[in-house]
Amino acid sequence: MTAVLDIPDLTILLVEPSSTQRKIIMGNLANANVEKVDPVTSGREAINYLSRQAPDLVISSMYFPDMTATELVKFIRDHDNLNQTPFMLISSEISFGKIDPIKQAGVVAVLPKPFDFPALETALKNTLQFLEPEELDLENYDPTSLRVLVVDDSALARKFIIKTLTGLGISNYQEADDGKTAISLLEKNTEFDLIVSDYNMPEVDGKELVQFIRANELLAHIPVLMVTSEQSRAKLSNIEQTGVSAICDKPFEPDNVKQLLASILN
């Protein structure tokens, strides 16, 4: 019987230049019984570490003396031996423009400074679900036969979404790099069981894509899971009114995705 990975088994790279913050984070990790934590203080140290080995999880602050977390996560996602590594951001940064690129690249959690222990524990559980996901249990579908269209203008976001879906047992998918491309695909192929789409995209955004789908009698029945890092309540309400089946926040958490897909597909 294969051993199941648990929180104390995790190997973590912690990138945090502040000695005080490192102490706080490592103290909370110790409370979660995590012992294998390697702390570094700069982006260059992190890259040197990652060039030698791949941890189970990278926990990072937003700013280092030599680069930002955005640059570090891009390095991770650009390397084949690292690009599936879960990434957690702990930051006091609240600017949407600064945080969104990291969310788009795929993270298991974004925690504020200060954070509480339950939030960290939940994020660690999300990491386990990402590393060892359980397949979807659906009444009406075999997950391996589901035909899914993934729409996002960020290649990194598409890769992260597909990794999550693959972990749930879904392997039959097509990609579209924006809403306009998705419409072209859907005009030729209406045989999809599910569409997973970003909201903020150039030319044709997620709202316009859903409107196209719901107005086409050959497509109108297809469930649409909208994935967004949008925080505006007015915009989210706008999205809901277009006829989406469910809205999923970025970070794209496996357990949340699993529950949403089970709900909309069953």
Side-chain angles (χ1 to χ4, degrees), residues 21-142:
Q21 290 298 325
R22 278 199 311 278
K23 198 173 292 184
I24 291 170
I25 295 169
M26 291 182 73
N28 277 278
L29 289 171
N31 288 340
N33 297 314
V34 178
E35 296 179 356
K36 293 172 279 189
V37 183
D38 294 319
V40 298
T41 61
S42 70
R44 178 49 54 191
E45 283 181 89
I47 286 172
N48 288 340
Y49 178 100
L50 292 165
S51 299
R52 298 190 303 270
Q53 58 189 301
D56 295 315
L57 170 66
V58 176
I59 298 178
S60 174
S61 64
M62 185 67 180
Y63 300 106
F64 327 128
D66 52 352
M67 65 177 72
T68 67
T70 308
E71 294 166 290
L72 177 59
V73 78
K74 184 178 186 308
F75 170 86
I76 292 169
R77 298 293 177 246
D78 283 345
H79 286 73
D80 290 342
N81 63 321
L82 297 170
N83 61 23
Q84 304 298 336
T85 305
F87 191 94
M88 183 193 306
L89 181 71
I90 300 179
S91 175
S92 54
E93 180 62 72
I94 58 172
S95 165
F96 178 83
K98 299 284 180 62
I99 296 289
D100 192 55
I102 295 179
K103 287 186 175 181
Q104 296 289 354
V107 292
V108 291
V110 176
L111 302 186
K113 288 182 179 177
F115 61 89
D116 56 23
F117 178 74
L120 178 64
E121 190 174 38
T122 298
L124 293 173
K125 288 177 181 176
N126 288 338
T127 301
L128 295 179
Q129 290 159 6
F130 185 81
L131 292 169
E132 293 186 349
E134 296 176 4
E135 285 197 2
L136 277 170
D137 182 15
L138 301 173
E139 295 173 11
N140 304 317
Y141 295 95
D142 172 5

Side-chain angles (χ1 to χ4, degrees), residues 7-29:
I7 288 175
D9 304 318
L10 292 171
T11 299
I12 296 175
L13 171 63
L14 172 61
V15 193
E16 173 56 75
S18 163
S19 59
T20 301
Q21 290 298 325
R22 278 199 311 278
K23 198 173 292 184
I24 291 170
I25 295 169
M26 291 182 73
N28 277 278
L29 289 171

Side-chain angles (χ1 to χ4, degrees), residues 182-238:
I183 287 174
S184 297
L185 278 172
L186 291 166
E187 286 173 338
K188 299 170 189 170
N189 179 10
T190 61
E191 301 299 315
F192 287 102
D193 300 305
L194 172 68
I195 296 169
V196 181
S197 176
D198 187 25
Y199 174 67
N200 289 306
M201 296 183 289
E203 290 196 69
V204 176
D205 64 17
K207 178 182 176 182
E208 293 167 305
L209 175 60
V210 175
Q211 288 171 333
F212 167 82
I213 292 166
R214 296 294 177 244
N216 186 314
E217 62 182 16
L218 297 176
L219 302 170
H221 66 284
I222 302 174
V224 179
L225 175 61
M226 189 70 73
V227 183
T228 180
S229 53
E230 183 59 64
Q231 297 299 309
S232 164
R233 186 61 250 173
K235 287 187 178 178
L236 288 173
S237 177
N238 232 345

Side-chain angles (χ1 to χ4, degrees), residues 153-191:
D153 59 309
S154 164
L156 291 177
R158 289 198 308 276
K159 188 179 291 186
F160 193 81
I161 290 169
I162 288 167
K163 158 67 178 171
T164 304
L165 295 176
T166 302
L168 297 175
I170 297 170
S171 55
N172 187 359
Y173 57 83
Q174 281 187 259
E175 298 179 54
D177 57 10
D178 59 24
K180 185 178 179 181
T181 306
I183 287 174
S184 297
L185 278 172
L186 291 166
E187 286 173 338
K188 299 170 189 170
N189 179 10
T190 61
E191 301 299 315

